[in-house]
Amino acid sequence: RIWWSEASERHVKELESTFGAEFQKTCERLRSDVAGCQDRLEFLVEAERKQRLGALADVKRELDLQQVSIAEVRQGQLELRGLKEALEARLQAALDEVGA
């Protein structure tokens, strides 16, 4: 019985030792995998940030162009309004001259 007990105890210690070494290897592999995933995630986040900043810059440029177009249309409307008023005044003057 003592022999069996000592053999069992040695076997348990060997198993603990083997388990501990394998557990350490597994932990190191997991740490390495997590670090790789973290690096990849940081890369993806940075790429997404740059893409969004680029898209925002494009939207801002388009908005600026639209605002310029709107300003040009407004200026054209003002010029047309002025021409219309001038033509109406000339027409009225011509009618007054013919009627008088």
Side-chain angles (χ1 to χ4, degrees):
R1 245 180 145 172
I2 294 176
W3 173 83
W4 178 255
S5 176
E6 289 174 356
S8 294
E9 191 174 319
R10 273 194 311 272
H11 187 64
V12 167
K13 286 184 181 183
E14 287 172 8
L15 288 174
E16 285 177 345
S17 176
T18 303
F19 175 79
E22 288 300 316
F23 184 75
Q24 286 293 4
K25 288 179 190 175
T26 301
C27 285
E28 287 304 316
R29 282 195 301 267
L30 287 173
R31 281 189 191 103
S32 176
D33 288 350
V34 167
C37 290
Q38 184 176 0
D39 291 345
R40 178 75 177 142
L41 182 59
E42 287 173 2
F43 172 79
L44 291 172
V45 167
E46 183 62 21
E48 178 72 16
R49 186 186 70 78
K50 287 178 181 177
Q51 183 181 6
R52 287 180 184 229
L53 286 176
L56 283 174
D58 290 345
V59 168
K60 185 178 181 329
R61 278 191 293 278
E62 184 63 31
L63 181 62
D64 290 345
L65 289 173
Q66 292 294 326
Q67 287 176 338
V68 166
S69 296
I70 290 170
E72 290 172 348
V73 168
R74 280 189 189 144
Q75 184 61 36
Q77 285 177 330
L78 290 174
E79 290 173 7
L80 287 174
R81 188 174 294 138
L83 289 172
K84 177 185 166 215
E85 290 171 359
L87 284 173
E88 287 174 344
R90 287 177 67 190
L91 179 61
Q92 189 60 47
L95 290 174
D96 290 344
E97 194 175 298
V98 170

